[in-house]
Amino acid sequence: MMKKVVIIVVLMLLSIIITTTLSMSVSSTTTDTVAAVTYDERALLINGKRRVLISGSIHYPRSTPEMWPDLIQKSKEGGLDVIETYVFWNLHEPVRNQFDFQGRSDLVKFIKLVGEAGLYLHLRIGPYVCAEWNYGGFPLWLHFIPGIQFRTDNQPFKMEMQRFTTKIVQLMKQEKLYASQGGPIILSQIENEYGNIQSGYGSAAKSYINWSASMATSLDTGVPWVMCQQADAPDPIINTCNGFYCDQFTPNSNKKPKMWTENWSGWFLSFGGAVPHRPVEDLAFAVARFFQRGGTFQNYYMYHGGTNFGRSTGGPFIATSYDYDAPIDEYGLVRQPKWGHLKDLHKAIKLCEEALIATDPTSTSLGSNLEAHVYKTNSGVCAAFLANVGTQSDATVNSQVVNAKLTSHSLEETSDSSGAFSSGWSWVDEPVGISKSNAITKPGLLEQINTTADVSDYLWYSLSTQIQGTEPFLKEGTKPVIHVESLGHALHAFINGKLAGSATGESSSKRSLTLETPVTLAPGKFTIDLMSLTVGLQNYGAFFDTVGAGITGPVKLKGLQNGSTIDLSSYQWTYQIGLKGEDSGLSDGSSTQWIVLPSLPKKQPLKWYKTTFDAPRGNDPIALDLTTMGKGEAWVNGQSIGRYWPTYISPQSGCTESCNYKGSYSSTKCQTNCGKSSQTLYHIPRSWVKPSGNVLVLFEEIGGDPTQISFATRSAGSLCSHVSESHPPPLYTWESDVKLGRRSEPTITLECSSPDQVISSIKFASFGTPRGTCGSFKHGRCNSLSAHSIVQEACIGSKSCSVRVSNSTFGDPCNGVPKSLAVEAICT
């Protein structure tokens, strides 16, 4: 990985120039005929032809079947050839030998839609997936098989892994979905990032990897298999790279192509964390740099992140939003400038395909931190990549091929409140402590996951005793404290039925917690009810499956008379798995238990709330603003939109108002939203609601005010572009300009994202030295007075418009000064 930092500039971050003989036609993706997929040292071969392939990850259960066609189409329009997805074992086999391939689990339908769109598919079977998904994708029942050890040379585990992998492969074959059968699947993956943690498994790791490879290839899919982050992947498995940068990666054989299975387009959001962003300038640089240095297959992880519906998050503490700062956002809207910026880059790379697949590049230094890689065929087709790999400053390269300095464009998204609650609120109290007949009593403290098998986030630990009036620790002046130690992930302590205190872990690496809270002791019955809860199970690391949760102690009463302590850990504790409201089916709203009174209890713990609502008008994606709630889970018409936790606030420091893309990127480099709730808006898919009569149910753990929640619709707002006069001309002009021997002018292009929108106003336009970013552009000292009217005339009333960025269009407001055009438009 580059220790330096990149600073090649914007649009393509690496300027890709085609010279000599150039054909604009690129081989189209076809998935309706039988295809032979193989590989050599340069690339994947489809029907004997090497291919440069650009891929993007979309996880089918993180969106809905109704969203899939649009997501796939936007991916295709963005320049992708391939869609990549994991297969989620615990989604498809929640109970051993009981399979689910319906609804959001309809893997076959998703793959067929990809094929119908003319795209290929990379099927990452795993079956370990990580993916910030609960338990890394493994079903919990796997944990309870006698003698099992996950992801090592262990016979019980290998039998189950082979059984599920075979099940998926047979399903794909049955539906004729492999390319060798005329389907879209051109690649499969076995295991996942095992090389990162395999040292923990000792010598058994190598034999396990060799077995995995042999097992996978024996299934005879007719397409290659890959292992990511697996330097010792045995032939014929292709080892691939994951990371923010993979240009330095080299496969473990000179007979295998250079492939990048996860280019992290952003990062995941955690409850209690700031919101991460990866600048498109850096992302595009990494992509172009990878192809510059010999790569031929690159995948964005994620291209659309989506939503962690239900209890599907891993971590722990992974947020419900899995937006990932991806080119297509959580709601299915293209994120600008990232989506459009990368689309232009993909076009440029595709123009290079004939040269890229034909030969290895020659490298030339153009100065300090400046280099060129040139691909040139015997027939005269040439592609040159120019790179500035410095860390501090921009550079202008003057050469036979190009004189370019690059900038960017962007698009702002806004939220508009709409929708209405059509009835008042009703509620049901969730009892404190033990309320179900299937409770169990045992001495000592039980680990939570082994007790609940993850059928619920919740496990009650309850202890009740009688305090006599003669107890010495009742002496006046003593201030006892209850001390509770837990493996995580969060805890609410109730003393004599009242909430006394709460505590939570900090992150997936700091899960454990300690709670100390004062208690009042008096003669009579004394009850301790500890509500322990998980927030997604561990999904990464060696032996992650053995990481526990819950209250394992000690639990003590401290600060008694003379400083004495009573250890309650070995007492007889009573346990209840889950909530009474869960067993009663409150989440779908159909129960007859709901209470309706003029006074609704608010800001009280352990409350179920229900109301009905009309869907917001229009077709824009819907979000539920839960800012006024505490922590819990929400359901719409019986379907869980996920956990909510707006009271978990991100750190006060670590964010920046503007991110400098120069330098190597890390997940904490370009964060926003410090000191605020990590997530307040929660996605409700349009297909889950009807025009009216929708039922919303909330389970609130710690207290909130449901009467203040609201709906929002998500839509593209301001459309922005900022292009300098030294920007490369649009790609669609390259071929004609090469043929005519001329250099065309850079151009700003604006296009409303929705098909029923037009540009209705120009909020800002300046040709000269404008400053700022979308939503905050400002005029510089140099400014053409005619810029606003010229852009208005070209754009108002149109879905899209183009304006040349040059003195010939606007006149020269300041001779000798480098100029740019910045525009912010409104689409309605």
Side-chain angles (χ1 to χ4, degrees):
M1 186 172 114
M2 302 166 289
K3 299 296 183 185
K4 43 70 257 38
V5 184
V6 306
I7 159 178
I8 299 229
V9 265
V10 193
L11 191 54
M12 292 167 247
L13 280 244
L14 286 176
S15 165
I16 304 174
I17 311 299
I18 313 299
T19 64
T20 324
T21 305
L22 176 67
S23 172
M24 292 288 286
S25 62
V26 178
S27 300
S28 62
T29 300
T30 58
T31 58
D32 55 352
T33 58
V34 172
V37 184
T38 56
Y39 66 85
D40 64 13
E41 73 282 2
R42 284 293 296 131
L44 290 179
L45 282 73
I46 300 177
N47 287 331
K49 181 177 176 59
R50 289 176 177 171
R51 293 296 308 273
V52 168
L53 296 171
I54 298 170
S55 174
S57 291
I58 299 176
H59 295 159
Y60 52 99
R62 283 178 159 142
S63 53
T64 65
E66 291 79 9
M67 294 173 66
W68 294 343
D70 184 62
L71 295 173
I72 294 166
Q73 184 59 34
K74 286 174 178 172
S75 301
K76 184 176 182 178
E77 291 171 359
L80 300 193
D81 306 292
V82 184
I83 300 296
E84 185 177 283
T85 187
Y86 282 124
V87 178
F88 298 86
W89 190 353
N90 55 9
L91 185 75
H92 295 299
E93 195 179 8
V95 178
R96 193 166 187 261
N97 289 321
Q98 295 182 23
F99 293 94
D100 180 8
F101 291 97
Q102 302 298 314
R104 288 186 297 111
S105 303
D106 196 341
L107 174 61
V108 168
K109 179 176 181 177
F110 179 77
I111 296 174
K112 287 183 176 180
L113 287 171
V114 170
E116 290 167 7
L119 299 180
Y120 296 121
L121 188 121
H122 178 195
L123 191 66
R124 306 178 76 185
I125 298 176
Y128 165 73
V129 300
C130 183
E132 293 72 58
W133 190 267
N134 195 48
Y135 214 46
F138 287 143
L140 234 295
W141 55 259
L142 200 65
H143 173 75
F144 296 99
I145 292 177
I148 200 166
Q149 287 184 297
F150 289 9
R151 304 180 75 197
T152 189
D153 193 1
N154 171 267
Q155 194 60 30
F157 176 75
K158 291 192 297 183
M159 286 179 61
E160 292 300 320
M161 176 175 168
Q162 182 169 5
R163 182 182 60 83
F164 180 74
T165 303
T166 302
K167 170 75 175 181
I168 297 300
V169 169
Q170 288 177 343
L171 178 62
M172 298 301 103
K173 287 183 176 181
Q174 176 183 321
E175 299 291 337
K176 300 188 182 303
L177 294 177
Y178 285 106
S180 55
Q181 302 171 294
I185 302 174
I186 59 169
L187 279 173
S188 290
Q189 178 178 304
I190 195 70
E191 250 298 335
N192 188 52
E193 294 185 330
Y194 189 70
N196 293 351
I197 51 90
Q198 74 177 64
S199 61
Y201 295 90
S203 59
K206 181 63 176 178
S207 55
Y208 166 65
I209 281 298
N210 288 340
W211 170 84
S212 298
S214 177
M215 182 269 291
T217 55
S218 72
L219 296 175
D220 192 25
T221 63
V223 302
W225 288 83
V226 305
M227 286 182 172
C228 61
Q229 296 295 95
Q230 196 65 48
D232 60 351
D235 294 342
I237 306 292
I238 306 169
N239 66 305
T240 67
C241 181
N242 292 355
F244 290 119
Y245 308 98
C246 280
D247 56 284
Q248 302 290 326
F249 169 74
T250 302
N252 64 13
S253 167
N254 59 12
K255 297 179 181 179
K256 298 176 184 179
K258 181 173 179 174
M259 298 177 63
W260 192 357
T261 37
E262 289 189 18
N263 178 1
W264 302 326
S265 58
W267 201 244
F268 56 85
L269 175 67
S270 296
F271 285 126
V275 178
H277 303 277
R278 185 179 184 186
V280 66
E281 295 92 336
D282 180 74
L283 179 59
F285 172 86
V287 174
R289 184 78 168 153
F290 178 73
F291 287 104
Q292 175 185 6
R293 295 178 63 89
T296 51
F297 180 100
Q298 187 270 162
N299 177 76
Y300 297 102
Y301 186 100
M302 301 292 294
Y303 199 74
H304 164 72
T307 306
N308 291 315
F309 298 113
R311 299 173 54 247
S312 62
T313 64
F317 304 112
I318 302 299
T320 297
S321 171
Y322 199 68
D323 181 86
Y324 220 88
D325 198 35
I328 302 174
D329 76 6
E330 176 182 4
Y331 298 86
L333 301 172
V334 295
R335 169 174 278 115
Q336 299 285 20
K338 188 168 280 188
W339 183 86
H341 201 58
L342 296 174
K343 176 181 179 179
D344 287 341
L345 174 62
H346 302 156
K347 287 180 181 178
I349 290 170
K350 282 299 188 175
L351 288 173
C352 302
E353 182 168 18
E354 185 177 349
L356 292 177
I357 62 176
T359 182
D360 292 322
T362 58
S363 177
T364 304
S365 173
L366 302 176
S368 177
N369 293 320
L370 302 176
E371 56 188 53
H373 285 70
V374 179
Y375 294 81
K376 191 172 184 179
T377 70
N378 293 332
S379 61
V381 176
C382 173
F385 290 72
L386 310 182
N388 173 1
V389 294
T391 63
Q392 299 298 323
S393 59
D394 295 355
T396 298
V397 176
N398 293 286
S399 74
Q400 184 178 3
V401 232
V402 65
N403 179 356
K405 189 173 181 180
L406 314 174
T407 55
S408 75
H409 64 286
S410 66
L411 178 125
E412 185 182 65
E413 294 171 7
T414 60
S415 298
D416 298 311
S417 296
S418 62
F421 294 106
S422 53
S423 70
W425 288 87
S426 55
W427 83 94
V428 174
D429 293 321
E430 177 65 33
V432 174
I434 308 304
S435 60
K436 301 197 301 185
S437 60
N438 59 355
I440 58 174
T441 300
K442 288 190 175 183
L445 298 166
L446 302 181
E447 190 277 329
Q448 182 164 347
I449 299 172
N450 282 305
T451 305
T452 67
D454 197 41
V455 298
S456 171
D457 283 356
Y458 305 101
L459 178 64
W460 283 105
Y461 296 68
S462 186
L463 177 66
S464 183
T465 187
Q466 288 289 329
I467 296 179
Q468 305 300 321
T470 57
E471 297 284 3
F473 54 72
L474 292 179
K475 182 179 178 181
E476 184 177 354
T478 60
K479 296 181 179 180
V481 168
I482 186 168
H483 172 97
V484 184
E485 295 184 23
S486 169
L487 298 177
H489 307 146
L491 167 68
H492 307 306
F494 294 80
I495 305 298
N496 292 331
K498 303 295 183 182
L499 180 63
S502 298
T504 184
E506 297 180 18
S507 66
S508 60
S509 60
K510 297 179 180 179
R511 301 172 297 274
S512 60
L513 59 95
T514 299
L515 171 68
E516 287 197 343
T517 190
V519 298
T520 299
L521 299 181
K525 187 176 182 180
F526 178 65
T527 301
I528 301 171
D529 293 300
L530 304 177
M531 184 188 212
S532 177
L533 53 134
T534 54
V535 192
L537 302 189
Q538 194 80 13
N539 60 263
Y540 183 75
F543 306 103
F544 77 87
D545 52 295
T546 65
V547 174
I551 302 165
T552 54
V555 177
K556 301 177 181 178
L557 280 175
K558 300 169 59 177
L560 304 174
Q561 187 181 30
N562 300 321
S564 62
T565 295
I566 298 178
D567 191 335
L568 306 173
S569 305
S570 59
Y571 282 41
Q572 289 279 335
W573 289 83
T574 302
Y575 298 89
Q576 175 181 298
I577 298 170
L579 307 174
K580 184 177 182 180
E582 290 177 316
D583 287 3
S584 300
L586 294 182
S587 61
D588 67 8
S590 62
S591 170
T592 59
Q593 301 178 47
W594 296 99
I595 302 169
V596 181
L597 289 175
S599 178
L600 180 74
K602 304 173 188 176
K603 299 182 179 180
Q604 297 179 22
L606 303 186
K607 291 288 184 286
W608 292 84
Y609 295 107
K610 184 184 83 165
T611 190
T612 59
F613 67 93
D614 297 334
R617 295 182 301 274
N619 297 312
D620 290 333
I622 307 170
L624 184 64
D625 188 338
L626 292 171
T627 302
T628 61
M629 300 305 293
K631 181 185 181 301
E633 188 172 352
W635 294 262
V636 172
N637 294 330
Q639 301 203 64
S640 174
I641 64 171
R643 300 183 182 97
Y644 64 84
W645 201 350
T647 52
Y648 206 160
I649 306 302
S650 65
Q652 294 291 331
S653 61
C655 292
T656 178
E657 290 186 5
S658 61
C659 179
N660 186 350
Y661 63 83
K662 300 174 184 179
S664 293
Y665 177 76
S666 69
S667 61
T668 58
K669 180 180 179 181
C670 298
Q671 297 183 128
T672 62
N673 209 49
C674 284
K676 300 178 182 178
S677 172
S678 299
Q679 183 179 354
T680 58
L681 295 176
Y682 295 82
H683 180 206
I684 303 174
R686 271 281 176 185
S687 60
W688 289 8
V689 299
K690 48 195 176 182
S692 62
N694 299 285
V695 177
L696 171 65
V697 173
L698 307 172
F699 171 65
E700 174 57 48
E701 295 173 18
I702 57 179
D705 184 355
T707 66
Q708 298 301 308
I709 68 175
S710 61
F711 290 98
T713 54
R714 304 281 293 180
S715 60
S718 293
L719 180 66
C720 299
S721 188
H722 190 183
V723 174
S724 76
E725 56 185 354
S726 58
H727 195 290
L731 294 174
Y732 61 80
T733 68
W734 286 14
E735 182 180 32
S736 60
D737 291 338
V738 167
K739 289 180 178 178
L740 296 173
R742 71 182 183 191
R743 181 179 180 83
S744 63
E745 295 170 328
T747 301
I748 259 188
T749 299
L750 302 172
E751 183 175 4
C752 297
S753 60
S754 175
D756 57 354
Q757 288 182 326
V758 296
I759 298 171
S760 57
S761 64
I762 302 300
K763 188 175 180 180
F764 180 91
S766 176
F767 178 71
T769 56
R771 297 174 287 114
T773 58
C774 188
S776 60
F777 284 136
K778 293 182 176 63
H779 293 286
R781 291 185 177 182
C782 170
N783 177 48
S784 169
L785 298 178
S786 62
H788 195 274
S789 61
I790 290 172
V791 174
Q792 271 190 325
E793 184 177 350
C795 297
I796 296 297
S798 300
K799 175 177 171 53
S800 64
C801 63
S802 297
V803 181
R804 290 175 178 263
V805 182
S806 68
N807 292 336
S808 61
T809 303
F810 298 98
D812 190 349
C814 41
N815 187 39
V817 175
K819 290 173 284 294
S820 64
L821 174 61
V823 176
E824 180 176 0
I826 304 297
C827 292
T828 56

